Amino acid sequence: MNTPLRRYTTCWLVLAVISLLLSACQTSDPPVAHAAVPETMQVQPSTPASTERGQELYRTNCAFCHGSSGERGANPLMDAVGQLDDASLAEIILFGVPEKGMPVSKKLTNEQIADLVAFIRSWNSQ
């Protein structure tokens, strides 16, 4: 039986779950000061160590929405990687794509962003 109390309780439960999921995407850390010069990402050579650091960063910051190899999201990363240069990938990571639900990266340094680009770029060699 679907009583008003049951509907009311279900509605509040759904709202609470949505709020928890949205709050998991928020960070209370103060923003990191970025040099905000994505062009510098083009000249930083990728190394096995940067790719490995990028993989860990991806797993903790990106995989929830984008999947383990970029297969999910409004524009799946695996489809876009071949069409974007390193500076464009870095800019997307740094500034996000708010209109598509990707938040601004407030807690990653430029070095970490370069590591993420190195890891994402490594998908092309797999």
Side-chain angles (χ1 to χ4, degrees):
M1 183 171 186
N2 201 3
T3 65
L5 179 60
R6 185 176 203 168
R7 280 183 280 172
Y8 178 80
T9 304
T10 303
C11 181
W12 277 107
L13 181 62
V14 168
L15 287 174
V17 169
I18 290 171
S19 295
L20 285 172
L21 289 172
L22 289 175
S23 68
C25 295
Q26 302 294 324
T27 178
S28 60
D29 298 336
V32 172
H34 292 283
V37 185
E39 298 82 37
T40 61
M41 302 297 175
Q42 292 176 327
V43 296
Q44 294 180 357
S46 173
T47 65
S50 66
T51 302
E52 188 174 315
R53 288 189 308 266
Q55 181 177 18
E56 182 58 31
L57 286 164
Y58 182 87
R59 185 173 30 250
T60 59
N61 294 285
C62 312
F64 179 77
C65 294
H66 288 289
S68 62
S69 32
E71 71 276 7
R72 294 194 315 237
N75 285 333
L77 276 172
M78 63 188 315
D79 296 341
V81 166
Q83 301 168 10
L84 299 171
D85 61 10
D86 290 356
S88 297
L89 283 172
E91 189 172 328
I92 290 169
I93 293 167
L94 178 61
F95 298 113
V97 187
E99 65 274 9
K100 293 191 177 183
M102 183 173 167
V104 173
S105 172
K106 295 180 181 177
K107 61 183 178 176
L108 297 175
T109 65
N110 282 349
E111 181 180 5
Q112 290 172 317
I113 291 170
D115 291 344
L116 274 168
V117 169
F119 172 66
I120 292 167
R121 191 61 70 206
S122 74
W123 295 340
N124 287 343
S125 62
Q126 293 178 359

